[in-house]
């Protein structure tokens, strides 16, 4: 039983709890993180929204790219995110977040993007449980690329 993985009611979701650094535990493959072993995202308040600093790392944990973007909360747990290289805003749907905002599962309505995020390292048991949550949300955990440096 993983009390730390209990679902936080999305009616109680507050963007302030999401602010801070998130580490990418696992993700669906995507074109904008090609060549990266994993990434981090730093969310911080800005006037009229949320700043987003994404950093990609190589397998030796060295930063290989950074991009600064902007997010706005459009409805409930859905953010619209835009980076300078993008022509349109992207949907960033916070599907699930743990009590205390320690773990999060983020995707989109089309189920074509998925990230498992954490504030730090996690155990293998926690990762397995988070994959189950992904499956319960309609995602396929078998498509995930895991960052084994964060899973112990």
């Amino acid at each position: 039983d993983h009390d730390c993985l209990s679902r936080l009611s999305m009616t109680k979701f507050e963007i302030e709890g999401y602010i801070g650094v998130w580490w990418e535990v696992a993700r669906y493959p995507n074109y904008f993180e090609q060549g990266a072993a994993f990434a981090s995202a730093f969310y911080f308040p800005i006037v009229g929204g949320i700043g987003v600093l994404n950093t990609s790392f190589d397998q030796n944990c060295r930063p290989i790219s950074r991009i600064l973007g902007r997010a706005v909360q459009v409805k409930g747990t859905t953010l619209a995110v835009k980076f300078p290289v993008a022509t349109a805003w992207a949907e960033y749907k916070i599907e699930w977040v743990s009590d205390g905002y320690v773990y999060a599962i983020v995707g989109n309505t089309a189920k074509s993007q998925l990230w498992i995020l954490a504030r730090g390292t996690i155990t293998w048991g926690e990762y397995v449980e988070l994959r189950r949550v992904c499956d319960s949300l309609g995602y396929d955990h078998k498509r995930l690329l895991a960052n084994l440096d964060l899973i112990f």
Side-chain angles (χ1 to χ4, degrees), residues 15-16 18-22 40-55 67-73 79-84 89 92 119:
I15 196 66
E16 294 80 16
Y18 201 73
I19 298 297
V21 176
W22 288 96
S40 69
F42 174 50
Y43 297 89
F44 53 95
I46 60 172
V47 175
I50 302 157
V52 183
L53 176 62
N54 284 350
T55 305
I67 190 163
L68 184 62
R70 172 182 157 87
V72 292
Q73 189 173 6
L79 306 179
V81 181
K82 186 152 190 321
F83 293 96
W89 291 81
Y92 186 91
R119 298 294 190 174

Side-chain angles (χ1 to χ4, degrees), residues 27-40:
R27 70 172 186 263
Y28 276 1
N30 59 63
Y31 73 91
F32 48 87
E33 289 184 274
Q34 214 153 357
F38 67 97
S40 69

Side-chain angles (χ1 to χ4, degrees), residues 7 17 26 30 48 110 113 115 121-122 150:
R7 184 179 172 86
N30 59 63
Q113 299 290 328
W115 292 269
T121 59
I122 69 170
L150 288 179

Side-chain angles (χ1 to χ4, degrees), residues 26-30 111-114 139-141 143-145:
R27 70 172 186 263
Y28 276 1
N30 59 63
K111 307 289 187 206
S112 61
Q113 299 290 328
L114 180 64
Y139 293 92
D140 178 5
H141 82 267
R143 291 185 52 207
L144 286 166
L145 300 174

Side-chain angles (χ1 to χ4, degrees), residues 8-109:
L8 176 64
S9 167
M10 288 296 114
T11 60
K12 295 180 184 175
F13 178 80
E14 295 178 8
I15 196 66
E16 294 80 16
Y18 201 73
I19 298 297
V21 176
W22 288 96
W23 293 94
E24 183 182 87
V25 175
R27 70 172 186 263
Y28 276 1
N30 59 63
Y31 73 91
F32 48 87
E33 289 184 274
Q34 214 153 357
F38 67 97
S40 69
F42 174 50
Y43 297 89
F44 53 95
I46 60 172
V47 175
I50 302 157
V52 183
L53 176 62
N54 284 350
T55 305
S56 293
F57 297 87
D58 66 14
Q59 290 187 346
N60 296 315
C61 300
R62 290 187 302 247
I64 55 174
S65 69
R66 285 191 174 93
I67 190 163
L68 184 62
R70 172 182 157 87
V72 292
Q73 189 173 6
V74 292
K75 181 180 178 191
T77 63
T78 301
L79 306 179
V81 181
K82 186 152 190 321
F83 293 96
V85 296
T87 57
W89 291 81
E91 178 192 39
Y92 186 91
K93 190 173 181 184
I94 302 164
E95 297 270 21
W96 179 94
V97 65
S98 66
D99 291 327
Y101 297 82
V102 177
Y103 311 103
I105 295 172
V106 177
N108 60 6
T109 302

